[in-house]
Amino acid sequence: MATATLPRTEFGGATTTVDVLVIGGGITGAAVAYEAASRGLQVAVVERDDFGGATSAATGKLIHGGLRYLKQFDVRLVRESLAERRTLMSIAPNLVGPIGMVLPDPGLIERVGLTAYDLLSADRNRIEDPTKHIPRHRILRHDALVARGLPNLDSGALFHDAMMAFPERLTLAFLRSAAAHGALVANGVGVETIIGGAGRVVGAHVRDHLSGRVGEIRARVTVNATGPWARDVLAASPITEQLAGPEPTVRSEGIYLVTRELSPTMVLTVSGHGHFSFAPWRGLSLVGPTETPYHGAVDEWRLTRAAVEKFISAINEASMVPVHLDVDDVIAAYGGLRPLTEQAGEDTYNASRASELVDHAKQGMAGIVSATGGKYTNSRAFAQKAVDSLARGAGLSVSPSTTATRLLVGCEGTRRSALTSTALDATSVAIVEEIYGSDAPAVIGLADERPELARAVTHDGIPLAALVHSARHESARSLTDLLIRRTGIGTAAPPTDDDLAEMARLAGAELGWDDVRVVAEVTATRHALGLPDD
């Protein structure tokens, strides 16, 4: 099977004409691009930074039905989410799989909610792969909880959702699937100005930050899929400025901490107006999220030391896991702003996570829509409905949707028996299969051909061959792109300085960097992966 590449399109210079221009290469933009391209439309996707970054990277890695949304009586969202949980395990089997979690000391309301959760997902096991089957919830007593490393709990409800250990790879799989259907895809390309006239948007002027060249993309429909930046994108262009509306008074900040493994079982904690969990992840624990109102500009948000320390205090006060944490226990931390619909108000915890497609024709400007809200779990379903809607509005002819049943590119053939390698041990082979799916043989082949690339540079076995493969085939522009959003090498724990230097050298050999660029990449990546000082 040929390696699934992600070719980067250069948009500088001549005018490009498509049916759909998608602004934003996060999970929403990626899913819309794939849906539209797979149904016969000509698509272009531009992302000013890197694919799957920012909000799409600030995730708890769950693919879930949203048990707590039942408390808000949002049954439709829960039902759709549960159906999409099954769909994503089907179309991305190497990337999404079941995970069990414990809700401590459930009361009557929680037990009723879990029963409803089971009933709403009655078709959850209509999936070919038996390893993706999800059981009904059950109540665990103290002895069973002790066996799961939770000796402080008297009772707990065990239920299952799904997890994606490498969410950036899922975004990439949607983009590669879009590209396989002819979509033009580029990172490092920002929108300079949305263009049009006489009450219609016709595309955008864009700038390629690699070449510095400016180009024009003309489209029948422009989709603003920029998450928390959606309002700012509209406000930055004279033709759409009136569509932007007032600056939101509040957005929702969520951060996560990575620590040593604190519990082998995922455990939920609900307190006050927030919730967080300890999730086993790559032999470590992922703790989060916070739910904090943020009142500043989107581009000014950053993870701060104070936010990390405040979250640690909340964990120590309310956690259902018997641990005490301090800053020295934090291996890594990340976060971002959630793309809530702008009606959230100050109560960001109870704000809807439903996606919304805003057709600005209703405000007098045809040819542009904004995608707001949403989450990973529902991205494909939202994209299907969005393409139906924009096709009707623009008079575009589309074929029936097949995205719920077709394996994503790079995820085909991943139910094979375990691969073998002359250079990689079984642990490295297994994680390469999980990350790269049907491209795993190419990564393993690199390690076998060049033994120096077989060396594992993470605690869970990711080899240097992964970095070289992604540098060659997956449109990475920087070492940070490679370590955080392609390979997973940098998301669990920062590499050593010696490893960073070697990885920068290997990436530079593939991407044409000189010695000055290699040193700059090491410095920038060390800063990106480290904990904040202030």
Side-chain angles (χ1 to χ4, degrees):
M1 182 178 293
T3 298
T5 61
L6 181 63
R8 182 182 184 274
T9 302
E10 292 191 10
F11 286 110
T15 297
T16 301
T17 301
V18 295
D19 296 314
V20 180
L21 167 61
V22 179
I23 306 172
I27 185 58
T28 298
V32 169
Y34 171 41
E35 183 71 32
S38 68
R39 297 173 70 177
L41 299 179
Q42 295 174 302
V43 178
V45 186
V46 294
E47 163 58 48
R48 70 172 184 175
D49 294 315
D50 189 33
F51 306 125
T55 297
S56 289
T59 171
K61 311 186 193 304
L62 288 182
I63 297 295
H64 65 107
L67 179 62
R68 69 187 177 95
Y69 307 151
L70 285 177
K71 292 184 178 180
Q72 302 164 3
F73 300 102
D74 199 341
V75 176
R76 183 207 59 79
L77 178 61
V78 174
R79 171 57 192 152
E80 178 184 272
S81 300
L82 290 168
E84 287 301 299
R85 181 185 68 184
R86 183 192 63 213
T87 294
L88 289 174
M89 287 195 290
S90 297
I91 67 175
N94 58 308
L95 295 173
V96 184
I99 183 173
M101 58 193 77
V102 170
L103 177 64
D105 301 322
L108 178 60
I109 292 176
E110 288 77 17
R111 296 189 188 204
V112 170
L114 286 167
T115 299
Y117 209 56
D118 290 339
L119 291 172
L120 288 170
S121 62
D123 56 355
R124 61 189 175 276
N125 293 330
R126 291 179 186 170
I127 184 170
E128 180 181 346
D129 185 352
T131 68
K132 308 298 184 184
H133 288 182
I134 287 180
R136 294 191 298 268
H137 86 278
R138 57 193 175 96
I139 302 300
L140 302 180
R141 300 305 175 192
H142 179 70
D143 289 348
L145 292 165
V146 170
R148 289 177 171 270
L150 302 171
N152 60 313
L153 298 182
D154 293 325
S155 69
L158 175 67
F159 69 102
H160 288 71
D161 268 311
M163 191 177 203
M164 46 178 180
F166 300 93
E168 300 83 2
R169 298 296 305 182
L170 186 60
T171 299
L172 207 67
F174 274 98
L175 286 166
R176 292 198 297 180
S177 299
H181 285 87
L184 307 175
V185 181
N187 52 351
V189 174
V191 169
E192 296 273 282
T193 308
I194 296 172
I195 58 174
R200 173 170 289 277
V201 165
V202 298
H205 289 136
V206 300
R207 180 179 297 276
D208 188 318
H209 297 306
L210 286 184
S211 67
R213 299 172 68 191
V214 174
E216 181 177 285
I217 304 175
R218 299 183 73 87
R220 299 275 294 276
V221 181
T222 296
V223 180
N224 176 15
T226 54
W229 285 267
R231 185 258 174 202
D232 292 358
V233 166
L234 296 174
S237 296
I239 192 173
T240 55
E241 185 178 10
Q242 76 277 13
L243 306 176
E247 181 78 22
T249 59
V250 63
R251 293 181 173 91
S252 173
E253 171 192 283
I255 70 171
Y256 294 85
L257 309 179
V258 179
T259 72
R260 69 184 187 280
E261 187 174 80
L262 303 173
S263 170
T265 301
M266 185 170 177
V267 184
L268 307 182
T269 295
V270 180
S271 65
H273 292 287
H275 75 286
F276 60 88
S277 65
F278 293 79
W281 175 67
R282 297 176 62 185
L284 303 167
S285 278
L286 179 64
V287 189
T290 58
E291 185 78 43
T292 306
Y294 172 74
H295 297 277
V298 178
D299 278 334
E300 293 177 2
W301 182 89
R302 65 182 181 87
L303 181 65
T304 65
R305 187 82 166 194
V308 171
E309 292 175 348
K310 181 179 179 181
F311 188 26
I312 290 172
S313 295
I315 292 167
N316 289 334
E317 178 180 344
S319 170
M320 295 294 182
V321 176
V323 296
H324 183 87
L325 298 177
D326 59 38
V327 172
D328 292 338
D329 293 311
V330 179
I331 298 170
Y334 64 89
L337 300 178
R338 296 180 180 88
L340 302 181
T341 56
E342 302 296 3
Q343 291 79 35
E346 290 289 327
D347 186 4
T348 60
Y349 177 70
N350 288 308
S352 173
R353 263 56 174 182
S355 303
E356 181 181 359
L357 189 71
V358 179
D359 185 349
H360 295 294
K362 297 175 182 178
Q363 299 168 269
M365 187 61 65
I368 184 168
V369 299
S370 291
T372 63
K375 56 199 184 85
Y376 257 95
T377 306
N378 300 70
S379 55
R380 190 218 60 84
F382 170 69
Q384 181 177 337
K385 291 180 285 190
V387 170
D388 287 341
S389 177
L390 63 87
R392 286 193 303 269
L396 297 170
S397 176
V398 294
S399 58
S401 178
T402 60
T403 56
T405 56
R406 297 180 64 173
L407 287 160
L408 293 172
V409 168
C411 300
E412 314 97 325
T414 54
R415 298 189 185 111
R416 63 167 67 87
S417 58
L419 296 170
T420 60
S421 170
T422 59
L424 299 177
D425 63 20
T427 298
S428 289
V429 168
I431 199 165
V432 167
E433 278 197 278
E434 181 180 0
I435 296 171
Y436 287 94
S438 49
D439 291 336
V443 179
I444 293 170
L446 267 177
D448 290 345
E449 293 165 13
R450 296 173 56 184
E452 72 274 15
L453 299 182
R455 186 169 70 85
V457 286
T458 66
H459 70 283
D460 51 355
I462 302 175
L464 286 169
L467 178 131
V468 172
H469 173 89
S470 288
R472 287 182 182 177
H473 299 295
E474 296 182 343
S475 291
R477 303 159 303 133
S478 69
L479 187 59
T480 304
D481 290 351
L482 286 166
L483 297 195
I484 296 179
R485 290 174 291 276
R486 299 298 186 279
T487 65
I489 289 172
T491 54
T496 66
D497 287 347
D498 287 345
D499 282 349
L500 268 182
E502 182 175 7
M503 287 185 281
R505 178 184 62 79
L506 289 169
E510 299 296 330
L511 299 174
W513 298 342
D514 60 20
D515 291 344
V516 173
R517 174 70 183 274
V518 167
V519 171
E521 289 291 330
V522 169
T523 301
T525 303
R526 186 184 296 115
H527 176 75
L529 299 181
L531 290 177
D533 294 324
D534 60 355

